[in-house]
Structure formats: structure tokens, C-alpha cells
Amino acid sequence: MRRVIGCCCLAVTAAVAGGGRLAAQETVTIGAWNIEWLGTPAMRDSTARTTEQLEAIAAVAADLLDIEVLVLVEINTKSAEWAELRAMLASRGYAFVEATPRRQTVVIAYDTDEVSAVITANPEPDVPTAFERADPGGGTCRTSNAKKPVFATLRAGSFDFTVVGVHFKSGRRPRTCSDDSFTSWVRGRQSAVLVEAVAQRQAAGMVDSDVIIAGDFNGGFEDGSAQMLRSQGFRLLTEPANRSSSSGILSYRKGRWESALDHIAIRPVTDREWLARSTRYFPDVLSFTDSELEVYLDYYSDHALVSAEFRRDLPDDD
């Protein structure tokens, strides 16, 4: 089936399909979408999103793609835009796990018709948000406002799992730092403290053995975050060999910048639930004409949505 994305002014179509091998009631779709400075329009050089635009965002995530668990990134949870989008998603059955309010907040939304909460209390672990190391050019490279991960342990059918929403350090290095590798190193350190937090919460019974990390990693497949997670037994479901044939190849396109920055990562224990080659970047932003991209950037984001499907009909493995 083919349908127009969200709004009539976006003149592109998208195949609406997952793996196509299992009935919808046998799978749960987990995804992440950076909605570029939602609620802080001045940072987008734009006016606030209209009700029509917010409805289009909700329609893509909930109606068109039917994402049951969605990590939302760059959300100003104190804004009127978020209050309106939140109400639109809530009317479609979603509940929310929100991090500490700030201009760029990570939110985990889950469809209560399909997914139930197991543990959503204390969603933010006490992890470092400041990182520094010596600058080869002299002085110190330092960042002090790294974002904390957000945890929610959920259940869909017989599949219980912990989603960890992330928004790692951007590629913009501090002005006083000349080291181009610094931000990649910070993302590696963020991944390391995340893995430590997962272990601590597992020991406390707050995290399931099936851990799904999803969000804006702000780095590609060889970035510091990806390398650190691989060293700890995770793999990126967004790597080309794992993606659906209907997937785009990039998750970020703006100006001269084109990258795969948004990812989903799991450990081998979750391989049996992951539906092979179901991972998808949507829409295919690389295929847009300049005019189509302009509309997409205005209505939606500079990021595509990333998602993957997991089986929920297998016996509980805990």
C-alpha cells in the first residue's frame, strides 16, 4: 500500500510496509525521531510549528508507520508546541516517559493499546554530563552539558524489554578546542557511562535483559559511540546489512551535510526477537528533490525516523 506522508504539501509517497512476514499482532515497532528543536523555533530559523504541521508529525509516527514505542529527541517539554503534539499523541493512546525538562529533552512515547509499562520511575540515571581531555593544541577540550539517557522498561505481548533513549553530543566542538576528534571521544564516553548505568540498573532489577538503545547518536558507524557499544557486545541494527529493502540510507540531510546519525542497538540476547532486515530509515531523505526537502525540513525535521520490528509472540526468556 502507498500513502502520502502526513500533509498534502509534501509531494512524496512512501511504501507502508514492515518485514511483511509476520502479522502486526506478532510484532512491536520501536523507533526514534529527532524532531529538530521542537518547541524552540528560533533555533530552526523558523516560526513555531503550526497545528497542521504538528498533526502531520503525529500522523506519520502513529497512523502511517504505527510506531508502538518512539524515542522523541530535541523536545522542549515546556513549550506550547510540545503540549499540543503531546495531546495529539495522547489522543491516539500514547503515554510518555519524560526526562528533566530542558530545551532539548528526550521523551519515550509508548502506545498503551499495545505496550504496558513495567518500570518508568526514575527514568534518568545519575551519570556524568561533563567531559574533558587535553587539547593537543594546548589547553583543555571541555563540554559540560551532555544529555543523560532515559530508561523505560516495557512489555508488548510476551516480550519485555528496556528502551534507552539517547541524544549524544553533537559534532560541534567547543570554540576553544582545536581537536576534531574530541566530540567523537565524548560520544564514546557517553556510551561507556550508559553501559555502566545499564549494568547498575540490571543489578537493581530495573532493567530487562533485552536492552534496546535508540535515538540520535550524532555519529556514524565508526564513531566513538558505535565503537564503544560494539566493545560492550552491542551491534547497530542500522548498519546496511540489517536494513529493510524499503529503507533510506541516511537519517540526516540538511544543506551540505548528509549522514546516518540515528541508530538502534541491541545485544545478541535480543537477536531472536528482532525481525531480521526490518530496520528502516523513513522517509528516504536522499531521494528528495530540493523543493521536497525544503518542505520536509519545514514540516518535520532535518532527521528521518529510524525504526525496527521485534517479535512479541515468543515465550518470555527471563
Side-chain angles (χ1 to χ4, degrees), residues 152-168:
T153 297
L154 307 167
R155 173 179 286 273
S158 58
F159 180 39
D160 47 5
F161 54 96
T162 296
V163 170
V164 184
V166 299
H167 186 193
F168 291 144

Side-chain angles (χ1 to χ4, degrees), residues 1 19 47 57 78 100 108 118 124-125 136 163 189 200 213 278 283:
M1 178 171 64
T47 58
I57 291 169
K78 292 184 176 181
T100 302
I108 299 176
V118 178
E124 282 185 306
V163 170
R189 293 306 307 150
Q200 292 169 2
I213 302 172
S278 67

